[in-house]
Amino acid sequence: MKSCMWLLISFWELSIQPSLTSIPDCSDSTKEDPACLDSLVAMPPSDQGCSSTSRLPCLSPDEQEAAVPEELKELRHEIQEFRQTFRHADTGGNQNGKQQSQTNRLLRNLLDRLGHVESSILTMVSRFQKLHEEARANHSSTEERLNALVILLLNMLSECDIPCNASLKKLSLLESRWLKTSETKEDLILHQKGTETERTGYPVDDSEKLEKAFPRDCAEIYRQGIKDNGIYTIQPVTSKHPFEAFCDMITDGGGWTVFQRRQDGSVEFNQTWQEYKQGFGNLEGEHWLGNENVHSLTKTGQHMLRIELEDWYGVKRHAIYHKFKLANEQNKYRLTAREYSGNAGNALSYSKNYNHDHKFFSTTDSDNDNYSMGNCGTYYGAGWWFDSCLAANLNGKYYRGKYSGLTNGIYWGTWYILTDKRANQKYSFKRVEMKTKSLST
């Protein structure tokens, strides 16, 4: 029995304490022992010291002792205590009851601590594996993004007239179509000049054309062969920065640049003058493209305005204005919307006192309407081309169906049903879009 206990103690010591005889001699720099190369810390026997030629860092005896975790120090101490107790019991003959109880207690304590150490090691291994898997996933994701960025940059450096924000598939398609019709860089420039001359009626200087890096609008992108709805980068005016816009490439011949969308009430349209100037919202969802951007789009040439309406009963109608323009900020983004056609009714030119055509834009903090008693923008909580005050307001509050009280919802005065006189409720709209397209085709 005593011999078996002694073997058990020796086994614990070998398992917990570092074995000096099992550590290879790494002091010779000519050796290629894998054990030396794989170890993080070389711990040679204390009588050998630390060699300056060792490939791995080695610790002094004091440093070795300081590097031992506290739990292992406690285990080492208890093993020594148990060992002394056992030796004392061995020299004194048979163990009495008190010594046997102390031995059992120490044994259980050691076994518990060994289990704790084993559990901690397994936990550390599991965490390391998890971190390793996360690192591999992040590396793969980063590599994919870098590859996509490299492809995008290569397309931009090719100096083709392409939208920067289009998907890689659309970029490749557009580039291939340009390259098929332009064998050299000079041919490409001549082709671009011809397209610009055809659209405007007069030639464009080469230096000015080379500064233009993006299509003018969604209609130009459509003419280049891209006929998928999506967000594209456009540059209506060469001297101004490009910006992103959602292009409707399907409706009514395609090539429409969307500048307003209402569909779920997720974006607040009671905004300031500056917000309406710069634009707000999400191009994939509800948004206002910005009065300054719409002015740039309609600054030169002829443009159409298309308004699409859908109510909560699924009825869809539209209004088209074949002459559409937005003036600059100095002229308070004055609206021009004339020559109506469609089936929604001409609410923008409803009557003498409710005519939105040729009216200035107003917001809660910039009163430019014809209502002498107050600010229509504040009263109806929206930015719009108010008269005195409105027969249409597509930037009104988003109501889900009917509503009561002030007529401050999304409103179009010529709609087939406006109010429910029995319940004194008004009708709002489920979806509205405003979009423009140049007439140069």
Side-chain angles (χ1 to χ4, degrees), residues 263-266 312 398-403 428-429:
Q263 62 184 21
D264 53 23
S266 60
W312 291 89
Y398 190 92
Y399 287 103
R400 298 186 179 277
K402 299 178 182 179
Y403 66 100
S428 185
F429 289 89

Side-chain angles (χ1 to χ4, degrees), residues 4 40 64 66-67 74 79 100 129 147 172-173 175 188 201 211 255 276 313 324 427 435:
C4 291
L40 294 178
Q64 294 174 20
E74 293 179 5
I79 289 173
Q100 183 65 38
Q129 291 177 346
N147 289 337
S172 300
L173 175 62
E175 181 184 28
L188 178 59
E211 291 177 0
Y276 270 101
Y313 296 96
F324 170 63
Y427 287 87
K435 57 193 75 174

Side-chain angles (χ1 to χ4, degrees), residues 263-282:
Q263 62 184 21
D264 53 23
S266 60
V267 174
E268 175 62 60
F269 271 68
N270 187 8
Q271 302 282 354
T272 64
W273 178 270
Q274 189 66 20
E275 293 292 335
Y276 270 101
K277 173 184 176 180
Q278 296 178 348
F280 53 86
N282 179 10

Side-chain angles (χ1 to χ4, degrees), residues 420-436:
D420 184 346
K421 295 182 179 179
R422 294 171 300 177
N424 194 25
Q425 290 181 319
K426 302 175 177 62
Y427 287 87
S428 185
F429 289 89
K430 180 179 181 180
R431 181 179 175 85
V432 179
E433 271 194 8
M434 303 177 69
K435 57 193 75 174
T436 182

Side-chain angles (χ1 to χ4, degrees), residues 10-58:
S10 300
F11 173 75
W12 286 336
E13 290 179 327
L14 291 173
S15 300
I16 298 174
Q17 294 180 319
S19 175
L20 300 180
T21 59
S22 62
I23 299 177
D25 181 8
C26 299
S27 60
D28 188 355
S29 60
T30 61
K31 291 185 178 181
E32 296 292 341
D33 192 334
C36 292
L37 299 177
D38 295 338
S39 300
L40 294 178
V41 178
M43 299 175 63
S46 58
D47 58 345
Q48 293 182 2
C50 293
S51 173
S52 60
T53 60
S54 176
R55 296 189 177 197
L56 300 172
C58 53

